[in-house]
Amino acid sequence: MHSNVHELIERYLSVSFLVNKKAAALVKCELDEMTNDQYYLLRYMSKRNVCTSTELAAVFAVNKSAITAMTNRLVEKEMIQRLRDENDRRVIYLSLTEKGKRWLAETETKIHHLVESLITQFSEEEIESFIQTYEKLANILQKLEETK
Amino acid sequence: MHSNVHELIERYLSVSFLVNKKAAALVKCELDEMTNDQYYLLRYMSKRNVCTSTELAAVFAVNKSAITAMTNRLVEKEMIQRLRDENDRRVIYLSLTEKGKRWLAETETKIHHLVESLITQFSEEEIESFIQTYEKLANILQKLEETK
DNA sequence: TTTAATAGTTAAATAGTTGAACTATATCGA
DNA sequence: TCGATATAGTTCAACTATTTAACTATTAAA
């Protein structure tokens, strides 16, 4: 039983590494002139509608200065815009521009086709339970962070 | 049924992104003076015992010049060494030094404890079937690459 | 034996990241 | 109300990771 846990951990480390790298490479092929991080940033911002640097730093698990650099590049590309809060002038809201929304919509279509071609090779039950476990793991990681 | 697939894809994209970022941040905490990529590189090389730049480039899904840069840094840190093949003088074999082996062994212990604390929150059956699906996905991605 | 292919490196450019120091603004307690 | 403290975000220097194109060296193939 104990050595089994050890083996499961090894398998998990190897497979998660491999899938991450290969999936990132596939996603990248669909992103003309944009990077994977830029895609995920726009994707997250689009879901939240509006958000702040501090929030992004927490979600991406990086320093705020990394977010400043990334958002600067996205502002230059006219994909997002900054808007200062008039009540609390420390905070700056980030949101997608029309160009950013257009690009994201087109890209999401491509990425969905890509993921669909992979996901449909599994039964619906298998994928459903896979994602459920994955989401449990995400929750555990989220809570772990909150306790620190 | 069809809109369900769409939703599954969305859930997969969100959860895989989140887990990747949070897990990478946790792994990083255990790696003093080394980066996540450097850890995974040493880990892979250790499993293969000896390998080449070309092989690493394929596994990491990056250009060979990226591997040259990464291995240069690891040679500087005395974690790996280069050895030219005497039969085919184009190829250079990469392998861990004693220092590299020592560091990796210590680090693997830490990472295993980390993953164990997460993995043991699931039943053995749940983890087993999760990893099995994950491995199927890895195989699909591997084959997809080979056909290209 | 010229020509192809293969293995790896170099160099310039760009993206992502950290950590420390910084500006500006808001909040809180005496 | 004022002075200390906290919060939001930026700047800068240093570094890692990556790509693309041009390159060297070596091997294989016509």
Side-chain angles (χ1 to χ4, degrees):
Chain A
M1 205 65 148
H2 241 33
S3 72
N4 195 12
V5 169
H6 191 275
E7 199 200 303
L8 284 173
I9 293 172
E10 271 304 300
R11 282 167 67 198
Y12 174 74
L13 284 170
S14 293
V15 79
S16 64
F17 163 76
L18 206 146
V19 169
N20 282 185
K21 290 291 178 185
K22 305 294 181 192
L26 284 177
V27 166
K28 192 182 174 190
C29 292
E30 308 296 336
L31 310 181
D32 181 54
E33 301 284 295
M34 291 276 283
T35 68
N36 286 21
D37 279 335
Q38 287 172 348
Y39 161 62
Y40 282 112
L41 203 48
L42 289 192
R43 200 180 129 79
Y44 180 82
M45 285 177 52
S46 168
K47 283 202 192 305
R48 299 282 291 117
N49 201 23
V50 133
C51 67
T52 64
S53 283
T54 303
E55 179 181 349
L56 290 175
V59 172
F60 278 67
V62 296
N63 281 7
K64 283 192 298 181
S65 55
I67 300 295
T68 300
M70 293 217 310
T71 52
N72 278 344
R73 286 185 286 266
L74 286 171
V75 168
E76 268 167 39
K77 290 186 175 187
E78 300 181 316
M79 291 295 191
I80 67 172
Q81 58 208 352
R82 291 189 167 99
L83 183 64
R84 181 149 245 139
D85 182 336
E86 286 305 322
N87 294 330
D88 184 343
R89 294 186 52 74
R90 289 170 306 180
V91 350
I92 292 175
Y93 295 117
L94 301 164
S95 59
L96 271 66
T97 59
E98 285 309 312
K99 182 180 172 190
K101 286 177 192 167
R102 262 200 316 279
W103 180 85
L104 185 63
E106 285 163 19
T107 301
E108 288 290 47
T109 305
K110 295 184 201 167
I111 301 293
H112 270 251
H113 282 140
L114 172 65
V115 178
E116 192 175 6
S117 72
L118 303 173
I119 230 174
T120 48
Q121 302 194 37
F122 298 86
S123 75
E124 196 130 352
E125 300 74 45
E126 185 170 4
I127 278 296
E128 179 64 45
S129 84
F130 176 73
I131 293 179
Q132 271 177 22
T133 301
Y134 219 161
E135 285 170 341
K136 269 195 218 174
L137 180 57
N139 283 331
I140 290 171
L141 291 173
Q142 194 81 52
K143 275 174 199 155
L144 195 66
E145 195 175 57
E146 283 161 14
T147 62
K148 277 198 292 195
Chain B
M1 206 63 147
H2 242 32
S3 72
N4 195 12
V5 169
H6 192 275
E7 200 200 303
L8 284 173
I9 293 171
E10 272 303 301
R11 282 167 67 198
Y12 175 74
L13 283 170
S14 293
V15 79
S16 63
F17 163 76
L18 206 145
V19 169
N20 282 186
K21 289 291 178 186
K22 304 295 183 192
L26 284 177
V27 166
K28 192 183 174 191
C29 292
E30 309 295 337
L31 310 181
D32 179 53
E33 302 283 295
M34 292 277 281
T35 68
N36 286 21
D37 279 334
Q38 288 172 346
Y39 161 62
Y40 282 113
L41 203 48
L42 289 192
R43 203 181 125 80
Y44 180 82
M45 287 177 51
S46 168
K47 281 200 192 309
R48 299 283 291 114
N49 200 23
V50 133
C51 66
T52 65
S53 282
T54 303
E55 179 182 350
L56 290 175
V59 173
F60 277 67
V62 296
N63 282 5
K64 282 193 297 181
S65 55
I67 300 295
T68 299
M70 292 219 310
T71 52
N72 277 344
R73 286 185 287 267
L74 286 171
V75 168
E76 267 167 40
K77 290 186 175 188
E78 301 180 315
M79 291 294 193
I80 67 172
Q81 58 207 352
R82 292 187 167 102
L83 182 64
R84 183 150 244 138
D85 182 338
E86 286 306 321
N87 295 330
D88 185 343
R89 293 185 53 74
R90 288 171 304 182
V91 351
I92 292 175
Y93 295 117
L94 301 165
S95 59
L96 271 68
T97 58
E98 286 309 312
K99 183 180 170 190
K101 286 176 191 168
R102 262 199 316 278
W103 180 85
L104 185 62
E106 285 162 20
T107 303
E108 288 291 46
T109 305
K110 294 184 202 166
I111 301 294
H112 269 251
H113 282 139
L114 172 65
V115 178
E116 191 174 7
S117 73
L118 302 173
I119 230 175
T120 49
Q121 301 193 36
F122 297 86
S123 77
E124 196 130 349
E125 300 74 44
E126 184 169 5
I127 278 296
E128 180 63 45
S129 83
F130 175 73
I131 291 179
Q132 271 177 21
T133 302
Y134 218 162
E135 285 170 341
K136 271 196 219 173
L137 180 56
N139 283 330
I140 289 170
L141 291 172
Q142 194 81 53
K143 274 174 199 154
L144 195 66
E145 196 173 57
E146 283 160 13
T147 63
K148 277 199 291 194

